[in-house]
Amino acid sequence: MPSLDVAGNILMMVAVIGYLLGTIPAGILLARVMGLGDLRSIGSGNIGATNVLRTGSKKAAALTLLLDAAKGAAAVAVGYAMGGELAAQVGALAAMVGHCFPIWLRFRGGKGVATYFGVIFALAWPAGLAAAVIWLATAAVGRYSSLAALLAAGWTPIAAVFLGQGQIFILGCILGLLIYARHWANIQRLRKGTETKIGAKSA
């Protein structure tokens, strides 16, 4: 069993690696490579898949979604490889923070939804599946990506407990709070009825 110093060093390394993985701006890079322009000057200016969709490229949006989720899953995998369950959860949190507050973009990152799904699926796939079902059902009915994300993030920790994945409950609550914080402006627009629906090209 590693000493406390060694364990602490491992967790620190996982946190740094997870953060750096999270900072990879997949949406911006894809938009540039595919000739879609500067993503930060399009739609809401967000770097995530929902805003990439506003460029009109479903392919770019799908790739952004997959890559943002993949970097979260990769951070969890690194954590498991280096230190087990606790390290995996540290990697998950670090990846989320990296995506939302990337140093390369002056800490102006995305809202973390795709990365959230990536880390939840990697940590506890039944809970990840529950989150996906909640998101898809809400998005299909209301056509609001933000509302779907908020409900998924809010209910997933509870679903995890019922599915026997209680080890991620606390982390799920922390990540959920981060999702809500990053969606604060969306929450206000939802209340006013001015929120943009999925697929709309305007902000």
Side-chain angles (χ1 to χ4, degrees):
M1 185 174 182
S3 67
L4 291 178
D5 286 343
V6 172
N9 289 336
I10 289 174
L11 293 180
M12 182 63 69
M13 289 176 62
V14 170
V16 171
I17 294 171
Y19 176 81
L20 292 176
L21 284 170
T23 63
I24 299 172
I28 289 178
L29 296 176
L30 284 169
R32 188 171 300 170
V33 169
M34 299 175 73
L36 301 175
D38 183 359
L39 192 58
R40 288 167 292 183
S41 64
I42 297 171
S44 66
N46 190 265
I47 67 172
T50 299
N51 198 47
V52 174
L53 185 60
R54 294 189 178 107
T55 67
S57 175
K58 293 181 180 179
K59 179 180 179 180
L63 287 173
T64 300
L65 179 68
L66 289 174
L67 290 174
D68 280 345
K71 68 188 184 184
V76 171
V78 168
Y80 274 129
M82 294 183 66
E85 178 67 31
L86 177 58
Q89 294 199 25
V90 169
L93 178 57
M96 280 286 290
V97 172
H99 178 81
C100 295
F101 307 103
I103 189 172
W104 325 116
L105 300 177
R106 298 181 181 180
F107 304 104
R108 298 175 183 174
K111 297 181 180 178
V113 179
T115 305
Y116 172 84
F117 278 105
V119 301
I120 294 297
F121 265 105
L123 286 167
W125 70 264
L129 186 59
V133 169
I134 294 170
W135 193 97
L136 289 170
T138 306
V141 173
R143 304 295 296 172
Y144 290 113
S145 176
S146 56
L147 179 60
L150 292 167
L151 289 180
W155 281 102
T156 296
I158 299 172
V161 173
F162 282 97
L163 291 169
Q165 307 292 320
Q167 77 275 8
I168 70 163
F169 176 78
I170 294 177
L171 176 66
C173 290
I174 294 172
L175 297 183
L177 288 174
L178 182 57
I179 291 287
Y180 272 72
R182 296 297 291 168
H183 282 78
W184 184 249
N186 301 84
I187 293 172
Q188 303 310 309
R189 290 194 293 270
L190 284 167
R191 291 178 61 186
K192 295 176 182 178
T194 58
E195 178 67 319
T196 304
K197 292 193 174 185
I198 294 173
K201 292 188 178 182
S202 60

